[in-house]
């Protein structure tokens, strides 16, 4: 049925936008420090648990608890920078990336100790009732998520390309020394990037988990969002939207039409296959910065 | 310049330190005491259920030592080994477990234990007693891995049959499956049900098998496809996250289709994750063990007894029942072996032989398990298989049916 | 740095790994100690040693690919899986001897790794590193969805024990010797590779691939070779793994395992074969200590509850990896070299 | 006034790169530091701007004062705030940003958006070629354009003194003329300049005063005229004999070898 096809495509696109939102966390940190954060999925889980803690465990009303969780997430970002990255200024990017791998193991443990391995209910932030337009049925959390993603992308694009603070962050990523010579505080920039990354992950957790359940395994979304980040190119925030939609639609259609044929989860590997193919054609993604080599 | 000489000493020194640390435990065994090793996962993916399951296991062993073993002159020493649900960890622990405890039985937890030990147990002569249902891949004759429950496929086939008879009519029951490729075990369960549907077209018809992630984002389109296809039940044997996501999709669609879960993602656990037991109204959980509902049953009374007399701290739920029943049928088999071969010189092989020689009756397990008649054809009893079904009625967790026959399922 | 009074008078001497008689003696003692280990320690430690030896092969391969050639590789566990499945299928279906299946498994994994390495022709930097994650997903999907008769699908594959002249290599001690011999061969090979033309090309490409290209090094071929070599090691490790467990399933080779392999080279030190061995030893030892001490701790500190104790172990492990990076970013090997140099020079500062 | 008094710089706590440099820059003038590769010219600038920290170096002796206050050991950001901006060697534009974005980064400390806009307009009117390049990606500009851009970027901070490292490096002779013409106008406008240059001829045309460095020390100083007239400088930095002829390469090399000894 053609209407189904449209529905799968729309829902796929919205799912892709959720991936784009998660991937935005990667991009923000990358754009400000050239560090690819492998622990992004764990940050999503942490953001989710902070909200669970505030709203379900502490019993705060959502209107208070969720903003509070965002503040806490920002504090976590700051702590990560202070504890790990502040000491690594001047070390190679490679070392910093390796730290994020250590962080992945560490954060998983922290979540287990602080919140336990139990499956927890996540607050119902968006109405459970899907939006029904004729035959089309659109999940509300993804719809709102899509809107939030687009808004966040516009906001961050503007921030990075137009505002002084955003541009100085880019300057830090490009060249620590030049940034220093112009009086930019490298540490503050990187701290801000991590705070932003943590807050975005928490936002991603709201959309991802609203009304569902949560435990540490939810971190897998970090890797699911990876093809979107790479497809867009690691620097492009606007590009994430398009890449998200491409990946999401293909995944949505594959899950609907290919999975039953094959009898397996084609939808989950296809994004990686597309990513590989596109990277072979355009090595820095669709919108990533081409490397300008200086010899 | 790297010089291999250097780490040599470092390695040796550290190895010595490690050796000291590892050699500490393991007191001399009394003549009439035997070891029962328990493989646990306190820091891996099942860390959330382990405290309940683990307490259930331990307390039953304590109870047996005090009330049964004392009379027989046998004490069963038990000890937990944390495998992190990781085959590599189990493999590295195993030789130490063997030499340290000289176990006559091992209580296993899941797939990685099976993977790491299935080829070794026959050589070592130690049976591995599981608490989970069986898998297609472990369905081999002459096994040293024992399941007290049939395969997950058997259990759900029993539920399908029961649902069909309640519905009446001769049309096959339309079933949807939600599974995941995250673990091969999940895939195995789905393949088993598909095979059963193929062999029994009059019993069930599978509308679709949906593969999703361990933490699904949104299942509304997939579930709508199932609902449109006219499903009468949705079988989910992966995890609670999938159950919650499916329930949300069903609620969004306003569709009332019962979800059938298993012991590890059952109604109380899924209800808790969904924000309340009432969320699971009309859904089912199915397995071949006692249901941990509020009704007064022999199993419940046994639990209360252990709670009062043996400091059983775990709550009355399916996971505690899983741990308790696992220990119970294991100690009963050992008990039979002692009665048959005497308290001295008991071995794992003798325990295993007794398992096939003498059934463990449901009375012996306080109704926690049905009467188990093992044969060498399969790692689980293939005759007289019964399952119990629980549901949520008026927001309350109640038993819907007990001793439901499971149909014959062909090996897949 | 050499001890005082030792000078290289020939080129061969300067290139030699072991320069003094003492060093030869120490190595011989070390190898002899390894060979006699099963006579001294209990079976538990032998099993731990087996896993360490297998990890050592896999991680030395990763060290060549990541530490020497600078190609971050998050697919090492998948490459190991390819090796394990190859060994399983060859041993079960063709009955080939392990003497053949182990190298063939390495070759199969190397082929799989080479495919990902080839994408270096176009993809650079992090993009290349991240495509190796795709290897993990492709492997997982392929095993589960290829016809079950090929690789066993969700059933996994059983492996007959390795046999040599009718002797079953199934006990932990016999497996230990198999693993030990393979590890010694592979580690010697690694020293050979990193000191060869290839090794120098790896380092050049790692440090500056543009400059390396200008110097006439075929950068793409070098990167692809690095993946090929790394994956070959993983494949050999995987084959040994298959012979040890005698049952392989797709969930034994996860992305998280790959992360841990990287953690091992981080802790040991990047760009050093011995560092890789130290990293394997330290991390595996910590893991085993945790597993051993965990139940004891939980028993002696009941107020904490078992779940807290065990979960804290993850924090401890992750924290120590992160700490290593902050305090000792060059790895344990670096610290050792400093200590060693200090010892030789003592009491002079330099 | 910027004063360096007997400054020593140590890298990685072992390599002594500056062995006691003393120099002064009067407000409104241009001072040139001349010398060969590895003489310590760039290190001197980095020590002043504080960026030496990021290369694991430190000012290990002496003092640097600006307008009477110590600035050695200060955070680079604080140094910029006090009105010293460092234009690094090698035209380090932010390659992936546009020319205008590069300028905005340079003016990030401007109080308020209006002030930033005003500064932008000033740069565009001061360096007209940049006006046409606003939206161009900086990495793809020509060498001369990039050099203009980094000078413009430094102007965005409205510095009292600009430290410029090798502005002529790798530029075509025509472009060198343009860049130095721009610096001359900057100086005329009142910005103090401290220029490090290997191209002594152009540098001394612009400078009022000059220092010659060798091996981490100042070996010669004087007004630009004095230096231009100095035999040694003519021979070895301007490459001419007293008669105004070029010396042969061999002779220069010979002298260099002799000169090392002096340092």
């Amino acid at each position: 049925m053609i209407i189904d096809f449209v529905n799968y495509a729309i829902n796929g696109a919205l799912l892709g936008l959720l991936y784009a939102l998660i991937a935005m966390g990667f991009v923000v940190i990358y754009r400000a420090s050239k560090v690819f954060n492998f622990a992004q999925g764990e940050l999503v889980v942490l953001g989710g648990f902070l909200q669970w803690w505030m709203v379900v465990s502490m019993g705060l009303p959502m209107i208070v608890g969720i903003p509070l969780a965002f503040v806490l997430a920002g504090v976590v970002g700051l702590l990560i920078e202070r504890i790990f990255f502040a000491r690594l200024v001047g070390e190679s990017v490679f070392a910093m990336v390796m730290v994020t791998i250590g962080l992945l193991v560490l954060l998983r443990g922290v979540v287990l100790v602080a919140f336990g391995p139990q499956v927890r209910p996540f607050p119902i932030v968006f109405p459970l009732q899907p939006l029904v337009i004729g035959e089309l049925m659109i999940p509300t959390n993804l719809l709102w998520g899509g809107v939030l993603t687009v808004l966040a992308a516009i906001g961050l694009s503007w921030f990075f390309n137009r505002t002084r603070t955003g541009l100085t962050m880019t300057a830090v990523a490009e060249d620590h020394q030049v940034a220093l010579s112009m009086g930019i505080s490298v540490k503050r920039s990187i701290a801000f990037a991590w705070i932003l990354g943590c807050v975005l992950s928490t936002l991603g957790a709201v959309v991802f988990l609203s009304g569902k359940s949560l435990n540490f395994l939810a971190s897998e979304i970090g890797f699911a969002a990876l093809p979107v980040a790479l497809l867009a190119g690691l620097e492009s925030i606007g590009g994430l939207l398009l890449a998200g939609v491409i990946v999401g639609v293909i995944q949505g259609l594959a899950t609907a039409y290919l999975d039953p044929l094959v009898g397996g989860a084609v939808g989950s590997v296809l994004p990686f296959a597309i990513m590989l193919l596109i990277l072979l054609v355009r090595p820095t993604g669709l919108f990533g910065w081409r490397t300008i080599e200086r010899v | 310049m790297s010089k291999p000489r250097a780490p040599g000493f470092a390695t040796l020194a550290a190895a010595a330190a490690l050796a000291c640390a590892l050699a500490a435990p393991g007191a001399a065994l009394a003549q009439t005491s035997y070891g029962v090793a328990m493989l646990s996962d306190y820091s891996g993916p099942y860390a959330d259920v382990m405290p309940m399951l683990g307490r259930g296991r331990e307390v039953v062993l304590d109870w047996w030592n005090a009330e049964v073993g004392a009379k027989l002159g046998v004490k069963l020493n038990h000890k937990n080994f944390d495998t992190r649900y990781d085959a590599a960890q189990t493999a590295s622990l195993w030789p130490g477990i063997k030499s340290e405890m000289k176990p006559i039985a091992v209580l296993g937890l899941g797939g990685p234990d099976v993977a790491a030990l299935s080829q070794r147990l026959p050589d070592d002569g130690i049976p591995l007693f599981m608490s989970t249902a069986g898998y297609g891949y472990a369905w081999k004759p002459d096994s040293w891995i024992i399941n007290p429950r049939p395969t997950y496929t058997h259990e759900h086939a029993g539920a399908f049959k029961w649902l069909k008879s309640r519905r009446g009519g001769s049309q096959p029951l339309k079933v949807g499956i939600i599974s995941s490729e995250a673990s091969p075990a999940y895939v195995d369960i789905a393949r088993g049900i598909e095979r059963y549907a193929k062999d029994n077209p009059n019993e069930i018809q599978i509308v679709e098998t949906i593969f999703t992630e361990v933490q699904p984002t949104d299942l509304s389109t997939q579930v709508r496809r199932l609902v449109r296809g006219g499903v009468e039940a949705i079988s989910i044997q992966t995890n609670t996250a999938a159950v919650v996501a499916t329930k949300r999709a069903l609620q969004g669609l306003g569709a009332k289709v019962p979800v059938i879960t298993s012991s590890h993602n059952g109604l109380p656990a899924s209800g808790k994750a969904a924000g309340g037991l009432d969320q699971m109204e009309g859904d089912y959980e199915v397995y071949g063990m006692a249901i941990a509902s509020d009704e007064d049953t022999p199993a419940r009374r046994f639990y209360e007894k252990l709670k009062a007399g043996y400091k059983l701290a775990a709550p009355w739920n399916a996971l505690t029942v899983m741990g308790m029943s696992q220990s119970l049928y294991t100690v009963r088999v050992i008990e039979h072996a002692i009665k048959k071969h005497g308290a001295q010189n008991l071995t794992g092989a003798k325990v295993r032989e007794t398992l096939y020689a003498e059934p463990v009756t449901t009375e012996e397990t306080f109704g926690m398990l049905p009467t188990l008649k093992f044969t060498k054809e399969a790692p689980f009893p293939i005759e007289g298989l019964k399952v119990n079904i629980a549901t949520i009625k008026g927001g309350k967790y109640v038993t819907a049916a007990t001793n439901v026959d499971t149909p014959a399922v062909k090996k897949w | 740095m050499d001890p005082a009074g030792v000078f290289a008078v020939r080129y061969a001497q300067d290139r030699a790994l072991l320069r003094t008689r003492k060093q030869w003696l120490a190595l011989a003692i070390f190898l002899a100690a390894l060979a006699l280990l099963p006579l001294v320690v209990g079976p538990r430690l032998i099993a731990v040693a087996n896993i360490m030896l297998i990890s050592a092969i896999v991680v030395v391969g990763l060290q060549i690919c990541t530490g020497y050639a600078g190609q971050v590789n998050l697919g090492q566990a998948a490459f190991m899986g390819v090796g394990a499945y190859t060994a399983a299928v060859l041993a079960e279906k063709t009955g080939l001897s392990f003497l053949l299946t182990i190298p063939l498994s390495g070759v199969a994994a190397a082929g799989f790794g080479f495919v990902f390495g080839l994408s270096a022709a176009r993809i650079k930097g992090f993009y290349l590193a991240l495509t190796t994650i795709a290897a993990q997903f492709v492997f997982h999907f392929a095993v589960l969805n290829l016809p079950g008769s090929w690789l066993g699908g969700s059933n996994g594959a059983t492996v007959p024990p390795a046999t040599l002249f009718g002797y079953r290599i199934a006990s932990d001690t016999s497996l230990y010797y198999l693993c030990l011999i393979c590890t010694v061969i592979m580690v010697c090979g690694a020293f050979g590779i990193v000191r060869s033309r290839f090794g120098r090309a790896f380092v050049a490409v790692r440090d500056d691939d543009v400059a390396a290209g200008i110097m006439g090094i075929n950068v793409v071929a070098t990167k692809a070779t690095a993946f090929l070599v790394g994956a070959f090691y993983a494949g050999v490790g995987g084959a040994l793994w298959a012979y040890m467990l005698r049952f392989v399933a797709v969930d034994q080779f996860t992305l998280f395992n790959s992360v841990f392999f990287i953690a091992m080279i981080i802790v040991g030190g990047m760009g050093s074969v011995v560092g890789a061995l130290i990293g394997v030893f330290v991390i595996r030892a910590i893991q085993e200590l945790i597993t051993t001490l965990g139940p004891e701790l939980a028993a002696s500190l009941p107020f904490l509850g078992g779940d807290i104790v065990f979960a804290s172990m993850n924090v401890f492990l992750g924290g120590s990896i992160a700490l290593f990076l902050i305090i000792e970013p060059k790895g344990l090997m670096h610290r050792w070299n400093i200590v060693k140099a200090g010892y030789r020079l003592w009491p002079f500062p330099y | 006034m910027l004063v360096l008094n007997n400054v020593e710089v140590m890298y990685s706590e072992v390599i002594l790169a500056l062995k006691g440099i003393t120099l002064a820059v009067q407000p409104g003038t241009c001072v040139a530091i001349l010398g060969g590769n590895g003489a310590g010219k760039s290190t001197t600038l980095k020590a002043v701007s504080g960026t030496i920290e990021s290369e694991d170096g430190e000012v290990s002796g002496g003092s640097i004062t600006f307008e009477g206050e110590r600035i050695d050991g200060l955070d680079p950001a604080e140094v910029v705030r006090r009105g010293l901006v460092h234009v690094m060697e090698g035209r380090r534009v932010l390659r992936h940003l546009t020319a205008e974005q590069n300028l905005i980064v340079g003016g990030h400390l401007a109080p308020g958006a209006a002030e930033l806009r005003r500064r932008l307009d000033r740069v565009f009117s001061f360096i007209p070629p940049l006006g046409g390049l606003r939206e161009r990606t900086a990495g793809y500009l020509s060498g001369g354009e990039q050099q203009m851009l980094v000078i413009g970027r430094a102007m965005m901070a409205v510095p009292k003194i600009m430290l410029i490292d090798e502005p002529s490096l790798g530029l075509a002779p025509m472009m060198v003329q343009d860049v130095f013409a721009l610096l001359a106008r900057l100086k005329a406008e009142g910005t103090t300049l401290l220029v490090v240059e290997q191209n002594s001829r152009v540098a001394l045309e612009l400078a009022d005063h000059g220092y010659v460095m060798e091996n981490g020390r100042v070996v010669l100083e004087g007004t630009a005229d004095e230096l231009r007239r100095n035999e040694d400088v003519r021979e070895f930095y301007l490459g001419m004999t007293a008669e105004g002829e070029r010396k042969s390469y061999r002779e220069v090399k010979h002298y260099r070898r002799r000169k090392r000894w002096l340092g």
Side-chain angles (χ1 to χ4, degrees), chain A residues 4 7-8 11 135 211-212, chain B residues 217 221 224-225 228 248:
Chain A
D4 274 348
N7 207 159
Y8 293 136
N11 287 4
E135 278 288 291
K212 300 200 190 63
Chain B
T217 322
T221 40
R224 177 157 76 157
R225 230 160 43 222
R228 280 225 204 106
R248 292 298 185 228

Side-chain angles (χ1 to χ4, degrees), chain C residues 159-183:
Chain C
V159 188
T163 52
L164 191 63
F165 309 121
Y167 176 72
R168 277 172 95 233
I169 304 179
S171 75
D172 288 294
T173 311
S174 52
L175 280 168
Y176 173 79
Y177 286 111
L178 176 62
C179 293
L180 182 63
I181 291 167
C182 289
T183 308

